[in-house]
Every structure is written in C-alpha cells, then in structure tokens.
Amino acid sequence: MSATATAKKDTSTNRREPKRIGHRARAQRREAIALVVPALLPIIIFSLIPLVSGVALGFTNATLKRNAEIEFIGFGNFIELLGDDRFWGSFGIGIVWAASVALLTLVCAIGLALLLNSDLRLKGLTRVLALIPWAMPPVVIAIVWRMIYNPNSGPLNGALEAVGIPGVNWLGDFSTALPAVIVVGVWAGIPQTTVLLLAGMQSISPEQHEAAAVDGAGALRRFWHITLPALRPVIIAVTALDFIWQFNSFGLIYVLTEGGPGGRTMIPPLFTYLEAFRNREIGYASAMGDVLVIAIMLILSLYLVNQFRQTKGARS
C-alpha cells in the first residue's frame, strides 16, 4: 500500500517536473529578451533603419529638387556610377589617403609607444601631451591646422621664411594638398593607436627581454624578435580598423579643403555628401553609399578571416 502510494507520488512528481522546467525556461527567455531589447532598440532606430533606407534610396531617382517624384529605377544609378570617373577618382584618392594615414600612424605610434614604455622621465606628463589630439574633435583639429598651414600668416610658412625658404600654399597647391591633409590625419590618429600598442607592449613578460639581454641581444634585436611578433595581432587589428575609419572620415578633410584643390583631396564620403546636398541627387548619392558599404564590408571580411585563421591556428 505504502509502496503504491510512493510510486504514485513519484509519478506525479515526474509529471510536474517538465512543467516546472518549461516554465522556468520560458521565464528565463522572457528575462533575456527584456534585457536585450533596450540595447537593440537604439541600434535598430539609429543604425539599421537608416542603413536600409539608404540602400533602398540607391534604387530610386530621389532628389531634393522641388515637386520631384520618387520613382523606382532599379540599377540605373549603379550603371551610371560605373562610368562616373569622378567617383572612381575619389575612390582611388580615398584608398591612398586611408592607407597612407594608417601606415604612417602605425610607424609613429610604435615609436611613441616604445618611448612611453621605457624608463622615461616625466612619463606621466609625456603621456598626457601625447593624448591631447585624442581629446580634440576632428573639426577643431582641422581649424587649428588650417591656421598652421595658412600661406600668409601661418607659423609653418613663417618658420620656413625665417631660414630663407619661400612659403608654400599647403592646402591650395595641387602637389601639397594631399600630403598636407595626410599629415593632419596622422597627427590626429597617433594617440589612439599608441594607447593600443602600449597596452600590447606592457602585456609582454619582462623576463623575455631580460633573458635576451643576458644572451647578448641588443635593443633592436629584442624589438625585432620579441616585441614585434608579440604585437602582431594588435598591429593587424589597429591597421585594419584605422584604414576603415580613415576611408570613412569626413569632417577633417571637409573643413581643411572641402575636397580641393581641383578634387585632389576628394575622398568618397565627401564626394557622396556633395552629390547629395550640393547637387541634390539623393538617389545617386545613396547608390555611392551602397558601393562604399560593400567595399568596407569586403575589407572587414578580410580582417575577420585573418582573425579566424589566427584563432584556429592558436587552438590547434
């Protein structure tokens, strides 16, 4: 009698257990959704909806001109874009600009990170001074450098003329405009890259350098055989991300040159902006934006594939 009652009790308990587990799982799922939704909403509102709208506008003849009707024109904008030498010219300048800034920033940042990682006097003050450009908005940086590059009253030309060298119209001359804006881009990008590289350097065990020094390795050999291999993942990451950021940059060059002289500093985001709001061709500009998104996604996919291979190699 007692055994039968116990069996019935166990059976009823087993029947209730799946219900409890199912109820608990549903409650956890609802709790997870409640936590994720507030974080997803800003992404959907401020990133996903504008992205989808921009892609969709690229397939229309949308314009800011009065009384213009929006019509779906399929791939018309993209076909026209294939033959637009102005856009592909800006695309080439954008690649030169982004690659030059990313690589020169990396070289300068490695040197500065090595300096800050050494037994330097006034290291704290030096770090603060090195990080100043990071605290300045791109527009402010551009205004400051426009004053420095001013052909009539700028301190750069003043210094050159003081030693007998004639001044240069840095931002107005066809041959110096692009190098001049690249210098500004490098100056603005050094602090962020330096911080990331410095963090990578400080994660290297000091015993490795001490052992190499005991074996007779000089500073250059220790840098080449210990520091540089250890920094390789950081270097690849910061270079790839910096290239993408610079390729997408807008405010710095817009304030410095507005793409001039003669389109010499016209990078794709600036050309797209001028096409949209100066020529009022929103649909055509959106098609340019779609091409830029595809190009950046390709670059990003190369970086992610490289990271995946490194992770897989490290695990194996």
Side-chain angles (χ1 to χ4, degrees):
M1 190 69 182
S2 174
T4 304
T6 303
K8 287 181 178 179
K9 185 177 179 180
D10 290 341
T11 304
S12 61
T13 302
N14 290 335
R15 286 176 181 173
R16 286 196 299 270
E17 192 63 26
K19 292 182 179 179
R20 289 179 181 174
I21 293 174
H23 177 73
R24 192 181 306 125
R26 285 194 294 274
Q28 290 176 346
R29 195 179 302 123
R30 285 195 294 271
E31 184 179 355
I33 293 173
L35 291 172
V36 169
V37 166
L40 283 179
L41 279 178
I43 297 175
I44 293 173
I45 294 173
F46 298 111
S47 296
L48 192 58
I49 292 177
L51 177 64
V52 173
S53 302
V55 172
L57 280 174
F59 294 90
T60 69
N61 65 345
T63 176
L64 293 178
K65 297 172 184 173
R66 287 184 178 179
N67 302 323
E69 295 183 359
I70 299 178
E71 295 179 359
F72 179 76
I73 59 172
F75 289 94
N77 286 328
F78 297 93
I79 294 172
E80 184 180 348
L81 197 60
L82 288 175
D84 193 338
D85 294 336
R86 300 172 304 157
F87 176 72
W88 295 113
S90 72
F91 203 89
I93 292 173
I95 291 176
V96 171
W97 147 262
S100 301
V101 172
L103 294 177
L104 292 174
T105 300
L106 176 66
V107 172
C108 296
I110 288 177
L112 186 57
L114 286 171
L115 186 66
L116 295 176
N117 198 39
S118 63
D119 297 327
L120 181 71
R121 287 187 178 181
L122 301 176
K123 188 185 294 185
L125 178 62
T126 308
R127 286 182 179 179
V128 171
L129 294 175
L131 292 177
I132 284 178
W134 202 1
M136 297 172 66
V139 174
V140 176
I141 291 174
I143 292 173
V144 171
W145 276 92
R146 280 195 66 155
M147 296 168 62
I148 294 173
Y149 282 141
N150 190 301
N152 299 318
S153 59
L156 185 55
N157 273 357
L160 291 177
E161 290 169 359
V163 295
I165 300 175
V168 179
N169 187 3
W170 297 100
L171 298 175
D173 191 279
F174 193 80
S175 60
T176 58
L178 185 57
V181 295
I182 287 174
V183 169
V184 181
V186 172
W187 186 82
I190 284 176
Q192 182 176 349
T193 306
T194 300
V195 169
L196 296 173
L197 291 173
L198 184 60
M201 287 181 186
Q202 292 183 343
S203 67
I204 302 172
S205 172
E207 285 77 11
Q208 295 184 48
H209 284 279
E210 292 170 2
V214 170
D215 291 338
L220 186 59
R221 288 187 63 186
R222 293 201 301 273
F223 169 75
W224 188 257
H225 293 288
I226 298 176
T227 305
L228 207 54
L231 289 179
R232 187 181 172 211
V234 183
I235 289 174
I236 292 175
V238 298
T239 305
L241 294 177
D242 199 19
F243 181 89
I244 293 172
W245 290 330
Q246 299 302 335
F247 194 75
N248 267 330
S249 63
F250 172 78
L252 198 66
I253 292 185
Y254 181 75
V255 176
L256 280 171
T257 63
E258 291 191 29
R264 183 56 179 163
T265 59
M266 186 70 74
I267 59 175
L270 184 55
F271 184 70
T272 303
Y273 169 80
L274 295 177
E275 191 66 23
F277 298 104
R278 189 168 290 178
N279 296 334
R280 303 182 178 184
E281 298 293 341
I282 294 291
Y284 191 53
S286 298
M288 294 179 188
D290 296 345
V291 173
L292 294 180
V293 169
I294 294 171
I296 291 171
M297 292 300 290
L298 287 175
I299 297 170
L300 190 60
S301 63
L302 292 176
Y303 165 70
L304 293 176
V305 167
N306 180 69
Q307 290 297 102
F308 175 75
R309 287 179 177 172
Q310 285 187 357
T311 306
K312 189 177 179 181
R315 287 179 179 174
S316 60

